[in-house]
Structure formats: structure tokens, C-alpha cells
Amino acid sequence: MSSRRSFRRGEATSRYLLVGAAIVVVIILLALGYYFYSQGGAETTTSPEATGEAGTATETTSPAATETTTEKVTLIWASTQLVPPTEQQFVKEELLPPFTQETGIDVEFIGMSYGDLNVRLQSEIESGKVTISLIADLHGGLDLYASKGWLEDLSKFGSLEGREFPQVLEDYSRLYGIKAYVPWLTATYVFVVNKEAFKYLPPGLTEEDVMTGSEKWTYDALLEWAKNIEAATGQKPLGFPAGPKGLFHRFLHGYLYPSFTGAQVKNFDSPEAVQMWNYLKELWNYVHPQSTVYEAMAAPLLNGEVLIAWDHTARIKDAIVQKPDQFVVVPAPAGPKGRGYILVIVGLAIPKNAPHQEAAWKLIEYLTRPDVQRLILEKVGFFPAVSGVAEKLPEGPLKILAQGVGNQLNTPDSLVALIPSLGEKGGDFSNTYREAFKAIVLEGKDPQQVLPELKQYLLSLFQQAGASLPPPDE
Amino acid sequence: MPLFSLLQDSRVKAWLLLSPTILYLTVFIAYPIVDSFRIAFVKNGSLSFDAVDFLLYSPLSEFWSALKYTFLLAILVIPTETLLALTAVILLFKRFRGRDAVIYVLVMPLALSDLAAGLIWYSMLTGKGFLNKLLLNLGLISEPIIFFGYENRWLTFLAVYLAEVWRSTAIVFVILFAGAQLINREVFEAAEVFGASFYVKLRHILIPMIKPSLQAALLIRTLFAFQVFAVVWILAGRDIPVLAGEAYYSIVELHKYDVAALYAIVIALLSASIGLIYIRVFRETLLR
């Protein structure tokens, strides 16, 4: 800068660079400023579709007011269920179009993981910009959201005409003083047997016993059966989805524990529980070692890796659909205290301050119609939440599933277990059973040493969540 | 013009030129780091060590074995990959017909996501998979080898090791190969004239001259090694826990954001210190 002569090429370039940098900085600062301004400002300035909704939200008129206008409504429906690609395709191409035709309401179905839905809902509720109008989630997830006050009380919409929900579902859908959700679908976990395995039934156990869940179809019988198969074929015939995303913990707390101890939680370290763990240790000798990586049992059943598997109905449905002649669905075996099994409930809920609530309620009305429930059962394998659907079923793989599930429900020693509502402690609950399994069965530790400490932990979860022990514990 | 002369001040100029970078680092690096500390250590507005307690003392935590397996994988995978990549560079140093094709094949795994790589190896090695069928048909084994499952953890570990090596040798190779391309061939010709052996050429020409690339490759590979996730998750689940896998599990299954953030911090600190060590060590050997 000392003399004009020094204006050479180099300095000119550096000046351009300088100006460029200054422009970049100004742009970024402006962008940041605009971002924070719009954050702090109001909900009225965002994307075009949000502005349409913000009007109704800020004016606090009844959401129904906008639905009556000719404006096209697009609902966002977030679901943790029906997420696999083929199921999403069913939702988008078969389930929703008749509804849109009937009501003129467009629905955008978004399949999410539990974690993603949790994060998204939390951020939407906290920022005050709710975009999701309808949630489909498991009872446990909805319980968590209700516990945080994230759900609308659905009793304000009145009742759904012409359909009946089983009492147990009605009871469970009332959470924290509100009608938190409408029961939509149910499911359970069953055993699937490759018919090949019936060749090796132990003496005294018939195919009929297994299919109908007679008193001879016990866990001891299962062990004998598995032993027989291994002796005859050299193959470890049993399979469980014990991978990190598999549902094996449900088998532990909802099937083995009730069957052996009569409860899911309160007898966690009882002598009966020790007996149960010793039983599982022995059974594990006949379980396919790859089980600790399995997430769902359809594939291992189909490729013949295992002959008898336990899993969620939706996760084994593929095997039955692809080879209906090969597999049968059978009830869970019984233990000394009865035939414990889990009933899963999927519910539909509306987030607090969600846009288009009337439209969402219309969608709930549509989704719970008996015909629609039957369609879902036929296509996806979830069982209805309203009464009187299962009776009118066509022949085929579905019948096999429904028969198995029905047989399980109708066994005289049936002992229903519900997944406990622990809010955000639900993961710890599952993990405690998995940890016990890992320590006792995989690492061979003494159950009497492992269980008491874990029981304290388990009970502290219920205490912290302020939840009561789940059925059948009372 | 006061503004103009201010702009001409070299210190102001320097800051101004740096400012886009600083802004970028603040928004995309510093803020997330600070926020992860907040998530890990602040609960209801006050300091909380719940996450640390869980990580270190909870019976449900797999922290120590995750740390062990992450290190074990890094220690085994990185040298193998470096050796393989170096070998490939040496073999491909000379030009020959089909050399380009060989390079493409070597680099192919780079185009795959690690998730896909995991799935490929899983379906290949599973009990009813390609490898077992091949071996059974050849009569080499009478029962399928079960690579996966808790009881077969070491075989699973072998599978993870193979998949990791297969997947990411390519990145090391690409960096080393680029470095080797820059070496002046006359140096080698001179060495040849003086009758230098293969070993001498390797020890005194190739390796010293690709050292900067080696540093970059090792650094990148080591940082990635501490983030190893998808391949392990697909092949081993939690039978072989690793740090990133435990972070994922903490969020998705346990809903423990603080624990996941703590895992992220542990991974970041490990990566940073390893990076620092590399840079130190290499700078010293380079200056020597």
C-alpha cells in the first residue's frame, strides 16, 4: 500500500480474494440471522404447506373449520408399523387410495423406526410445529408419548359407530387419564413348525397335541422333540431371533417367565425362575448357534436352517406365505404355571396440537372398519383389533396363521402377558432379560448369582417409571 | 478510506480470509461437539454423571468389551490393509496390459456402502451360504461351518476382519497409489543403473517417497476404524460389541441419549488423540 506502483497482479488477486471472502461471510451471517429470526419470530413463516396449517393453529379455531373448505388436505401419518418396503407399498397402493377417494383427503404415510419417531415427535412438539397428524405405534410407544403429554385426548371425537373393541383393548388404550389411542391391530408371537419336524416327534406327543396346544404340548416335550431331531439329523433344529434387533427378550419375559413362574417380573429370581433358566440352558444345546445374530425367523425357516422357530407373527409370515404346505403355526408350549404368551396391541393416536385433526379422526374411523381390518390381515398378517373379523377368512396361508393364533388364544391354560408400559425405561426392561440370558445361558454363570441383582434393577425401573407390574403379575 | 486501510492490515486480512472456515468449523464441528457434551452431562439444567455411571457400572453396559473389540479390530485390520495396499502399489508400479482393469477391480469395494458389504459377507458365510455350499460340494467339509453366533465369536470376528479388510483396503490403496504416481521414475532408473536390489529400492526410494500419502492413509483408516459399525452390526450383532454399535444401540433400543452422546465423545477423543500421535510421529520421522 506504500506506493501505487506496487499494484501488481498478485495484490489484485489477493484483493479479489478478500472481497470474495467478505461476501461469503456476509451471506452466511445473513442466513444465520434469518434462521434465528424466523425461529424466534412466529410459526407463520416457514414452508408453504406449513403456512396453511399455521393459520388454523394460531387462530385456535376448531381444526374442523378448514376441513370443510375446498382446500386439499394432506395428512402426515407416521408409523412404526408396516414399515418394511412391501408393507409400505400395500399401505400406499391398496390401503389408502379408497380412503382418499371417499373423503378427498390425501395421506402421506411415513414408515419410521421407534427411535426416529420418538426424536421427530419430540422435536415437533418442543418447537411447536407439529406436522404429524396421526401416529401408529405399539402400545408401549404410545404409552411413552402419553406419559409425556404428547397425545390428544381422543374422547373429544366421540365414539366409533358400528364396531366393537374387546374390553382388554379398551382398557389398555386409556392412559394417564385420557383416551390415548384407538386400538388398530393386534399381533402375537407363535411357534412355527416345519412339517418335516413332525417325523421326529417324541413318543407320547402327537401332531394334534402340538397343533391344538393340548396339555401334553409342554416345554419339556419341546426339549425332547429337539433332542430327537438332533439325534436323527445332526441338525440343531430350534431357532430364536436373539440378534440385537430380534425380539427374543419377548420370549423370555412373556413366554418362559409366565409359563414357569406365573409372572413376568415379580418372580424374577424365584426358585421357579432358576429352574426355568436351567431348562433354557439345556434347551440351548439344541438351538441353532446363529440365533444370536438372527433378527427375524422367516429366512432361517425358509432356507431350512431351523425347523422350529418362535417369532412375531408378522416376522414369520413370509415363510408361511411362500411355502404354505411346508409350515404350520402352533401355540406356545405350556410350562408348570400355564401357557404364557404375549398379546401385542398397535394403536392409532393424534399428537397434541396436530394439524387436520378431524381428517385424522376420519382416517382412524376408516382404518378400524372390519373390512379394512380384514384386508390388513390378509395382506400384512396383523390381526384385527375389532371383534368379528377373523371368522370370515378365506383358505390359504392366512388361515394357517389365524388358526395357530386362534388355537393359542383358546388353550384352556392360556396366560396372557402384556408388554409393560415403562415409557423410556422400556429398553432397559428388555435388556435386563437379555442380560440375564447372556450371563446365564451364553456365559454359563450361576442363575442364583445373576438374578437377584438384576431383579433389583428391574424393580427400580418400574419404580422410576411409576408403573405397575404388567399382567399376569398381579 | 478507513475501511479500505483496515482491510489492508494484514492481520485483519488474515482473519477475514479465515472467517468462512471458522464459521464452518463452528457450525458443523464445534457446536455439535459442545452439544454432545451437553446431552451427555447436563440433565434438567444441572451437571449429571448418570451416563458415566451407566457406562462404567451398569450390568447392562458393554463399554469395556466394546472398547476391547474396537481396538482389537483396529490393531488387526489396519496393518493388514496397509500391507495389502502397499503390495498392490508395488505390483502395479510397472505398466502392463490390463493394469487399469486391475485397478478398477481393486477399487470396486469403495463404491459399496459398508452396510451392503456386511450383507454380502453375511449371505456368503452363513450356514446355508455360498461358501458352505461350495465347501460341502467339493467334499472339503461334512458339516457347514457356522461363522455366526455367540458361541462362534472368534469365527465371527474372523468374518468381520475379512469383511473390513475387503471393504476398506481400497481407500488405503487409492491414497498410496496416488502418492506413488508422483514419484519421478528417473529415480528408479538411476537406482537400476547402480544395480539396486528390489529391497533397496523399496526401503530407500518407494517408502520414503510415499510417506506423506502413508500418513494420510493411516490417519483416515484409523479414524474410520474407531467408527466401525455397519459391518460388525450385520455380521455379529452385539456378540462383538463395538463403540459405535453401542452408541447406536443406546439410542435406538434403550432411548439413552446421554449414554449415546458419551460414546460419541469417547470415539471423538480416541480419534483425536490417535490423529495427534500419527501427526507427531510422522512429522519427526519426516524431518529426520
Side-chain angles (χ1 to χ4, degrees), chain A residues 118-444:
Chain A
N118 193 340
V119 171
R120 174 153 172 188
L121 204 56
Q122 178 169 16
S123 55
E124 288 198 359
I125 300 262
E126 280 174 5
S127 69
K129 281 181 210 152
V130 180
T131 62
I132 298 172
S133 293
L134 187 67
I135 302 171
D137 198 356
L138 294 182
H139 171 87
L142 293 167
D143 185 274
L144 165 67
Y145 303 146
S147 75
K148 297 189 173 178
W150 293 353
L151 299 181
E152 289 282 355
D153 184 354
L154 298 182
S155 55
K156 70 177 176 184
F157 294 102
S159 62
L160 294 159
E161 295 296 316
R163 66 213 68 176
E164 202 183 312
F165 296 92
Q167 192 55 41
V168 58
L169 298 184
E170 279 288 352
D171 292 345
Y172 273 90
S173 61
R174 289 178 194 283
L175 297 162
Y176 306 95
I178 62 167
K179 168 79 177 166
Y181 65 86
V182 174
W184 179 34
L185 306 168
T186 60
T188 185
Y189 307 74
V190 286
F191 274 83
V192 174
V193 177
N194 187 326
K195 286 181 183 165
E196 189 72 9
F198 284 128
K199 288 185 194 159
Y200 310 104
L201 280 170
L205 187 70
T206 65
E207 206 173 313
E208 182 73 13
D209 286 326
V210 178
M211 302 273 284
T212 57
S214 81
E215 76 275 5
K216 285 190 197 148
W217 176 225
T218 61
Y219 280 105
D220 286 335
L222 176 69
L223 177 63
E224 286 307 309
W225 192 9
K227 270 185 194 167
N228 263 5
I229 299 175
E230 206 219 14
T233 66
Q235 183 187 358
K236 296 191 173 192
L238 297 171
F240 291 99
K245 302 208 93 182
L247 299 169
F248 183 55
H249 47 273
R250 302 278 177 239
F251 182 69
L252 298 174
H253 75 74
Y255 285 72
L256 279 183
Y257 257 104
S259 302
F260 279 80
T261 73
Q264 298 194 61
V265 180
K266 71 176 180 194
N267 301 329
F268 189 80
D269 61 348
S270 63
E272 290 87 359
V274 174
Q275 195 194 333
M276 176 215 113
W277 283 111
N278 286 330
Y279 166 81
L280 187 59
K281 259 187 190 175
E282 203 183 339
L283 188 73
W284 207 257
N285 293 324
Y286 308 98
V287 171
H288 198 287
Q290 225 159 271
S291 285
T292 54
V293 194
Y294 289 149
E295 300 198 333
M297 296 312 297
L301 277 168
L302 278 169
N303 69 24
E305 263 171 17
V306 302
L307 295 177
I308 304 170
W310 170 96
D311 207 343
H312 190 287
T313 44
R315 294 186 176 202
I316 37 100
K317 180 170 166 273
D318 255 5
I320 297 148
V321 169
Q322 288 187 35
K323 292 185 181 168
D325 302 332
Q326 182 92 66
F327 300 105
V328 286
V329 176
V330 304
K337 292 282 160 66
R339 198 178 305 274
Y341 66 88
I342 290 177
L343 187 61
V344 176
I345 308 167
V346 182
L348 296 165
I350 298 178
K352 199 127 211 159
N353 300 323
H356 309 311
Q357 296 198 1
E358 283 298 327
W361 183 252
K362 276 183 195 161
L363 183 55
I364 291 179
E365 193 275 328
Y366 169 77
L367 290 172
T368 50
R369 288 177 196 170
D371 283 352
V372 177
Q373 297 247 303
R374 205 180 98 189
L375 181 71
I376 295 170
L377 173 56
E378 282 168 12
K379 299 292 168 145
V380 199
F382 261 113
F383 295 84
V386 295
S387 311
V389 178
E391 281 91 76
K392 321 163 196 161
L393 276 177
E395 288 293 329
L398 198 62
K399 198 106 181 173
I400 300 171
L401 263 176
Q403 272 167 353
V405 171
N407 286 342
Q408 178 157 292
L409 280 163
N410 292 320
T411 49
D413 47 359
S414 148
L415 195 61
V416 171
L418 278 169
I419 298 171
S421 314
L422 283 170
E424 56 192 354
K425 303 281 177 202
D428 291 293
F429 173 81
S430 308
N431 219 22
T432 309
Y433 288 87
R434 284 174 161 275
E435 184 57 35
F437 165 73
K438 192 180 163 205
I440 297 168
V441 178
L442 297 181
E443 290 169 0

Side-chain angles (χ1 to χ4, degrees), chain A residues 15 25 290 292 428 431 438, chain B residues 4 19 62 126 149-150 239 249:
Chain A
R15 177 166 296 179
V25 172
Q290 225 159 271
T292 54
D428 291 293
N431 219 22
K438 192 180 163 205
Chain B
F4 185 74
S19 52
E62 295 277 355
T126 182
Y150 190 86
D239 291 348
Y249 188 78

Side-chain angles (χ1 to χ4, degrees), chain A residues 1 7 11 14-15 17-18 21-22 24-25 28-29 32 114-115 118-119 122 144 234-236 244-245 249 284 287-295 303-305 423-428 431-432 434-435 438 442-443 453-454 457, chain B residues 4-5 7-8 12-14 16-17 19-20 23 27 54 57-62 65 122 125-129 143 145-153 156 233-239 241 248-249 251-257:
Chain A
M1 67 177 270
F7 265 122
E11 201 150 320
S14 86
R15 177 166 296 179
L17 255 178
L18 213 56
V24 169
V25 172
I28 292 173
L29 284 176
L32 278 176
Y114 301 101
N118 193 340
V119 171
Q122 178 169 16
L144 165 67
Q235 183 187 358
K236 296 191 173 192
K245 302 208 93 182
H249 47 273
W284 207 257
V287 171
H288 198 287
Q290 225 159 271
S291 285
T292 54
V293 194
Y294 289 149
E295 300 198 333
N303 69 24
E305 263 171 17
E424 56 192 354
K425 303 281 177 202
D428 291 293
N431 219 22
T432 309
R434 284 174 161 275
E435 184 57 35
K438 192 180 163 205
L442 297 181
E443 290 169 0
E453 188 198 356
L454 286 177
Y457 185 75
Chain B
F4 185 74
S5 59
L7 279 179
Q8 292 298 88
V12 175
K13 208 194 267 184
L16 204 56
L17 284 167
S19 52
L23 258 177
V27 174
F54 182 88
Y57 306 116
S58 167
L60 306 187
S61 164
E62 295 277 355
S65 44
Y122 182 80
L125 297 178
T126 182
K128 298 266 171 178
E143 270 175 32
I145 307 169
I146 307 293
F147 275 93
F148 306 114
Y150 190 86
E151 291 149 55
N152 309 316
R153 253 171 311 161
T156 314
W233 191 255
I234 295 284
L235 296 179
R238 285 180 85 221
D239 291 348
Y248 174 76
Y249 188 78
I251 285 196
V252 172
E253 299 293 326
L254 303 181
H255 305 300
K256 288 189 193 304
Y257 296 87

Side-chain angles (χ1 to χ4, degrees), chain B residues 209-286:
Chain B
M209 291 189 98
I210 61 170
K211 216 172 223 171
S213 321
L214 200 60
Q215 178 187 5
L218 280 176
L219 192 59
I220 287 176
R221 194 53 201 94
T222 312
L223 298 191
F224 283 162
F226 286 103
Q227 301 162 10
V228 62
F229 170 59
V231 169
V232 183
W233 191 255
I234 295 284
L235 296 179
R238 285 180 85 221
D239 291 348
I240 295 176
V242 288
L243 291 170
E246 290 304 297
Y248 174 76
Y249 188 78
S250 307
I251 285 196
V252 172
E253 299 293 326
L254 303 181
H255 305 300
K256 288 189 193 304
Y257 296 87
D258 52 349
V259 175
L262 195 59
Y263 269 111
I265 291 169
V266 169
I267 296 170
L269 287 180
L270 275 176
S271 305
S273 34
I274 299 275
L276 216 65
I277 292 170
Y278 268 122
I279 291 169
R280 279 279 156 80
V281 168
F282 272 89
R283 186 188 288 151
E284 270 158 28
T285 52
L286 275 179

